Amino acid sequence: MTTKDEFKQAPHKLLVIPGPIEVADEVLFANAHPSMSHVSPDFIPVFGDCVRMTREVLYTKTAQPFLISGSGTLGWDQVAANLVEQGENALVLHSGYFGDSFQDCLETYGAKVTQLKAPIGRAVALSELEKELKSGKKYKIVTVTHVDTSTGVLSNAKEITAVVRRISPETLVVVDAVCSVASEEILFDDWDLDVVLSASQKGLGTPPGLSILVASQRAIDVFKSRKSPPSSYYASWKKWLPIMNAYEAGTAAYFATPPVNLIYAYHAALKLIVRGEKTLEERFKLHKEASRQVKEAAKRLGLKQLPETDDEAANGMTALYFPEGLTAGDILPRLGKRDVVVAGGLHAAIKDKYFRIGHMGVSVVDGQRGDVNTIVRALEEALKEARTKSA
Amino acid sequence: MTTKDEFKQAPHKLLVIPGPIEVADEVLFANAHPSMSHVSPDFIPVFGDCVRMTREVLYTKTAQPFLISGSGTLGWDQVAANLVEQGENALVLHSGYFGDSFQDCLETYGAKVTQLKAPIGRAVALSELEKELKSGKKYKIVTVTHVDTSTGVLSNAKEITAVVRRISPETLVVVDAVCSVASEEILFDDWDLDVVLSASQKGLGTPPGLSILVASQRAIDVFKSRKSPPSSYYASWKKWLPIMNAYEAGTAAYFATPPVNLIYAYHAALKLIVRGEKTLEERFKLHKEASRQVKEAAKRLGLKQLPETDDEAANGMTALYFPEGLTAGDILPRLGKRDVVVAGGLHAAIKDKYFRIGHMGVSVVDGQRGDVNTIVRALEEALKEARTKSA
């Protein structure tokens, strides 16, 4: 048999896209756990621990995690099908591609959506939000993309929530944190959030396939007092709430088979994050330092960031315009040749004009890997080569 | 680094519940693949191969597979949200717990459901189906649970489809094959099916977390001519069809991040099934033989099967009533002590009166493991001990 200490993943190109990210050996090993019954006494506490540790990552004592087999996108369905009823108003703060998708999802389930759209590279101004909330329209939810993976723009979830609480205290604040949980600080209880939705494959350093959503008790109360039943079956909290409660209480309940191996992997990843050598606070600091290092190197190399201001730039990823005269074809293959995998553009309006680098999880927390230096060096070399070639 | 040949999973209790089932070392190893971009040139053909090999397992040339992060349950949402519109009629053939759940799902999305309910231990009679189809009500879909995991009852999907085609040719036939794909023969094209929905963790021998659905071109046409948009976002074929087509064509497209590692695992499992030493036909024969072996041993031991007739008993699992005077507490822990994990009852009406044994995948195909003998021996010993104790 192969033991945890023995297992080492194969050498491979450094994966520094904004998710999936590099996954630690012990997390991959856990994903290869022998097959287990989803109701076995060995598995139940592992699932329960995942629920509890998810709370710790978000600094919440009382909010309710939902861990469901699915991609991050399923979190939108959970919000749209459980918290909004037919014809109710939703306000979407748009800072990139994912604002449009979230709107699409909300409308699928009957929400009336208003969008506040920031210019590319900016987050929605608090003053715009304030004006809209004072317009007289009653919003059931406000959604914000904490880090929009398409632009690398970081929205100020704390201040946004404060504005909502001041002007429209009953409106639920929903944070799409797919690309920010565990790479950006999120103080769920202190900020008074209602929903944080995420996925396993970014800051949480687990393979993709787990929709991770945390709901405040206020959100759960709103859900429980719905007039109509939830408008999704698979994403229904009516189905999942008893399951999450059962596993946390140390018993099993069945709605749909949980992704057992992935739960073992998530458990291993959470242990590294909340029980590891470094505190959560230290981890956030390391993400900031890695981000600064990449962004300063980019600046030195003459690359312009997509986010227009430093305080609206994510700490877990960097989006950079290609320099004048160079394209994706000049840069990305040259990074690939140096075994560094980054991502192209995603925002439709500027898709071919920029690229994205992820710096989350083990790549920034485990300094011995030297991943951030590898990124910077590869970027320097690739740019130099591309400029020589095109000169 | 750990190689595929080196990797051996840890010793563990033999998992013979009706899913998740035992997973082969090479499949678990693939689940521990280094993290990869979902749009990388290395991953795209792996996804494409999974689409193609899924067709082979079902003997179809032209049907359209959907491989989506989620549990088997998500397949019901796909059917309900893409193939049925508000107020349309659905006929659910009920042979156990999962008929009720499928009905619940269909109603969530607005279908009007009629249920034909077989007595416990039986499949719905073809004559009942024929009578209902001739009643004059126009059904958009008929659903059948091929093997109901709660009862072990096998429905005759081939004959059911023939009846539907004869009386109501436009009605789509939807087969819930979560507990039958790769353990029961399914001839998609020959039988003229419309939807087969399944999951990764049963006959397909992969960890749970992948919703696997295959739709006929007739079903796709019905979907494309919907009057209203699909009523789910995450389960929308409008979103997923271009993605499946792209990966199969060798390019990538993005809607939601696929479960990359699980796709590698599914690929490894499919290779064993359709490119392994044994043909698909041989595999089905081995499932029948193992089933016969377990069922005969049970009979010899005085255990009554839940399915009332042999031709309505699944080949991938066996559901057995506890003998007079003995309960789950007498049998299941004694099997556990012998490192054999079986499942308790699930059908609400008789939950405490029976138990279930799975015999699918490597446990029956790889004879060297001796799993079926292990099951039979443990059952004999556990029963003997329990009877001595209670005597």
Side-chain angles (χ1 to χ4, degrees):
Chain A
M1 62 167 280
T2 309
T3 65
K4 187 173 98 169
D5 290 341
E6 280 164 10
F7 180 81
K8 299 276 172 273
Q9 62 189 299
H12 58 280
K13 292 184 178 186
L14 178 65
L15 185 63
V16 283
I17 63 174
I21 68 166
E22 285 287 320
V23 174
D25 284 333
E26 52 261 64
V27 177
L28 289 179
F29 181 74
N31 211 34
H33 194 286
S35 192
M36 297 288 288
S37 166
H38 49 299
V39 298
S40 95
D42 294 319
F43 175 66
I44 293 169
V46 173
F47 199 123
D49 279 350
C50 286
V51 172
R52 286 181 283 271
M53 288 193 284
T54 298
R55 277 199 200 94
E56 290 183 51
V57 174
L58 294 174
Y59 299 86
T60 177
K61 297 275 183 222
T62 59
Q64 177 61 53
F66 292 88
L67 309 176
I68 306 179
S69 179
S71 81
T73 300
L74 182 65
W76 298 339
D77 285 67
Q78 288 187 61
V79 169
N82 292 294
L83 293 179
V84 187
E85 298 190 58
Q86 198 69 32
E88 289 182 335
N89 296 318
L91 182 62
V92 169
L93 307 186
H94 181 293
S95 54
Y97 174 90
F98 291 93
D100 288 329
S101 314
F102 204 162
Q103 169 166 2
D104 188 1
C105 179
L106 288 162
E107 288 175 344
T108 298
Y109 291 94
K112 294 222 164 96
V113 178
T114 302
Q115 194 184 91
L116 291 182
K117 191 169 185 172
I120 291 175
R122 293 301 309 268
V124 174
L126 293 173
S127 56
E128 293 287 314
L129 169 63
E130 179 153 355
K131 202 172 76 183
E132 183 58 36
L133 290 175
K134 284 180 172 165
S135 73
K137 200 188 262 187
K138 186 79 194 158
Y139 286 106
K140 187 74 173 288
I141 64 171
V142 169
T143 78
V144 54
T145 317
H146 196 196
V147 169
D148 195 295
T149 318
S150 77
T151 57
V153 167
L154 172 71
S155 289
N156 193 327
K158 179 186 179 181
E159 293 300 326
I160 286 166
T161 310
V163 169
V164 175
R165 288 287 164 262
R166 178 159 50 80
I167 301 170
S168 179
E170 284 174 21
T171 299
L172 299 175
V173 178
V174 175
V175 181
D176 177 341
V178 169
C179 196
S180 69
V181 168
S183 61
E184 307 284 347
E185 190 181 61
I186 301 177
L187 304 179
F188 195 103
D189 289 351
D190 278 5
W191 298 356
D192 203 12
L193 303 173
D194 289 302
V195 172
V196 166
L197 65 93
S198 194
S200 47
Q201 78 275 12
K202 306 209 178 192
L204 292 164
T206 307
L210 196 62
S211 165
I212 296 158
L213 183 147
V214 178
S216 69
Q217 287 305 321
R218 180 170 44 222
I220 296 291
D221 288 344
V222 165
F223 161 69
K224 286 184 174 168
S225 57
R226 282 179 70 91
K227 289 182 201 75
S228 57
S231 46
S232 164
Y233 183 75
Y234 186 64
S236 167
W237 289 354
K238 195 172 161 205
K239 305 293 182 190
W240 287 113
L241 192 54
I243 309 300
M244 297 302 141
N245 290 341
Y247 276 98
E248 189 168 7
T251 57
Y254 176 73
F255 167 56
T257 306
V260 178
N261 285 56
L262 191 57
I263 293 287
Y264 275 106
Y266 183 45
H267 189 261
L270 282 169
K271 276 202 299 184
L272 290 175
I273 293 173
V274 299
R275 308 267 183 275
E277 285 173 21
K278 298 190 170 94
T279 65
L280 257 178
E281 290 73 16
E282 284 165 341
R283 294 178 69 96
F284 292 126
K285 211 176 135 200
L286 287 167
H287 279 83
K288 283 192 175 173
E289 279 171 18
S291 179
R292 192 180 40 75
Q293 200 184 332
V294 171
K295 287 170 173 67
E296 280 179 3
K299 197 170 180 181
R300 209 166 54 234
L301 293 165
L303 297 175
K304 185 178 175 305
Q305 262 200 77
L306 207 140
E308 292 200 355
T309 68
D310 284 346
D311 62 334
E312 286 180 0
N315 293 296
M317 65 173 288
T318 299
L320 298 167
Y321 286 107
F322 294 116
E324 193 69 34
L326 294 180
T327 66
D330 297 312
I331 309 286
L332 270 49
R334 288 193 166 93
L335 288 170
K337 218 174 61 186
R338 288 163 176 87
D339 288 342
V340 172
V341 179
V342 302
L346 179 61
H347 194 300
I350 49 170
K351 198 175 182 313
D352 298 326
K353 295 186 175 167
Y354 75 109
F355 67 108
R356 300 170 298 151
I357 303 169
H359 29 78
M360 294 178 254
V362 285
S363 280
V364 307
V365 173
D366 180 356
Q368 292 193 331
R369 297 172 57 109
D371 288 355
V372 179
N373 290 333
T374 303
I375 296 169
V376 169
R377 203 180 320 115
L379 199 56
E380 286 167 352
E381 291 175 13
L383 261 174
K384 192 175 168 189
E385 194 181 283
R387 279 169 168 150
T388 310
K389 186 98 186 222
S390 74
Chain B
M1 62 170 281
T2 310
T3 65
K4 188 173 95 169
D5 291 339
E6 280 165 9
F7 180 81
K8 299 276 171 273
Q9 61 187 299
H12 59 279
K13 292 184 177 184
L14 178 64
L15 186 63
V16 283
I17 63 175
I21 69 166
E22 285 286 321
V23 174
D25 285 333
E26 52 262 65
V27 177
L28 290 178
F29 182 74
N31 211 33
H33 195 285
S35 192
M36 297 288 288
S37 167
H38 48 301
V39 297
S40 94
D42 294 318
F43 175 66
I44 292 168
V46 174
F47 199 123
D49 279 349
C50 286
V51 172
R52 285 180 283 270
M53 288 193 284
T54 298
R55 277 199 200 95
E56 291 184 49
V57 174
L58 295 173
Y59 298 86
T60 178
K61 297 274 183 222
T62 58
Q64 177 61 53
F66 291 88
L67 309 176
I68 306 179
S69 179
S71 80
T73 300
L74 182 65
W76 297 339
D77 287 67
Q78 288 186 61
V79 169
N82 292 295
L83 292 179
V84 188
E85 299 191 57
Q86 197 71 32
E88 289 181 334
N89 296 317
L91 181 62
V92 170
L93 306 187
H94 180 292
S95 54
Y97 174 89
F98 292 93
D100 288 329
S101 314
F102 204 161
Q103 170 166 3
D104 188 1
C105 178
L106 288 162
E107 288 175 344
T108 299
Y109 292 94
K112 293 219 164 99
V113 179
T114 301
Q115 195 184 91
L116 290 183
K117 191 169 183 171
I120 291 174
R122 294 300 311 267
V124 173
L126 293 174
S127 56
E128 294 286 315
L129 169 63
E130 180 154 353
K131 203 172 74 183
E132 182 58 34
L133 290 176
K134 284 178 172 165
S135 72
K137 199 188 260 184
K138 186 80 196 158
Y139 287 106
K140 187 74 173 288
I141 65 170
V142 169
T143 79
V144 54
T145 317
H146 196 196
V147 169
D148 195 295
T149 318
S150 78
T151 57
V153 167
L154 172 70
S155 291
N156 193 326
K158 180 186 178 181
E159 293 299 327
I160 287 166
T161 310
V163 170
V164 175
R165 286 289 164 261
R166 179 159 48 83
I167 303 171
S168 179
E170 285 175 19
T171 299
L172 300 175
V173 178
V174 175
V175 181
D176 177 342
V178 168
C179 197
S180 70
V181 168
S183 61
E184 309 284 348
E185 191 182 59
I186 301 176
L187 304 180
F188 195 102
D189 289 351
D190 277 5
W191 299 356
D192 204 12
L193 303 173
D194 289 302
V195 172
V196 166
L197 64 92
S198 195
S200 47
Q201 78 276 11
K202 306 209 180 191
L204 291 164
T206 307
L210 195 62
S211 166
I212 296 158
L213 184 146
V214 178
S216 69
Q217 287 306 321
R218 180 171 44 222
I220 297 290
D221 287 345
V222 166
F223 161 70
K224 285 182 174 168
S225 57
R226 284 180 68 91
K227 291 182 199 75
S228 57
S231 46
S232 162
Y233 183 76
Y234 186 63
S236 167
W237 289 352
K238 196 173 162 205
K239 305 294 183 190
W240 286 112
L241 192 54
I243 309 300
M244 297 303 140
N245 290 341
Y247 276 98
E248 190 169 5
T251 57
Y254 176 74
F255 167 57
T257 307
V260 178
N261 285 55
L262 191 57
I263 293 286
Y264 275 106
Y266 183 46
H267 189 261
L270 283 169
K271 276 202 299 184
L272 290 175
I273 293 172
V274 299
R275 307 265 184 278
E277 285 173 21
K278 298 191 170 92
T279 65
L280 256 178
E281 291 72 18
E282 285 165 341
R283 294 179 68 96
F284 292 127
K285 209 176 136 201
L286 287 166
H287 279 82
K288 282 191 175 172
E289 280 170 18
S291 179
R292 193 180 40 77
Q293 200 184 332
V294 171
K295 286 172 174 64
E296 281 179 2
K299 198 171 181 184
R300 210 167 53 234
L301 293 166
L303 297 175
K304 184 180 176 305
Q305 262 200 76
L306 208 139
E308 292 199 355
T309 69
D310 284 348
D311 62 332
E312 287 180 0
N315 293 297
M317 65 172 289
T318 299
L320 298 166
Y321 286 108
F322 295 116
E324 194 67 35
L326 295 180
T327 65
D330 297 312
I331 309 287
L332 271 49
R334 288 194 166 91
L335 288 170
K337 217 172 62 186
R338 288 163 176 87
D339 288 343
V340 172
V341 180
V342 301
L346 180 61
H347 193 299
I350 49 169
K351 197 176 183 313
D352 298 326
K353 295 186 175 166
Y354 75 110
F355 67 110
R356 299 170 298 150
I357 303 169
H359 29 79
M360 292 177 256
V362 284
S363 281
V364 308
V365 174
D366 181 355
Q368 294 195 329
R369 296 173 58 109
D371 288 354
V372 179
N373 290 333
T374 302
I375 295 169
V376 169
R377 202 180 320 115
L379 199 56
E380 287 167 352
E381 291 176 12
L383 261 175
K384 191 175 170 189
E385 194 181 283
R387 280 169 167 151
T388 311
K389 187 99 185 221
S390 74

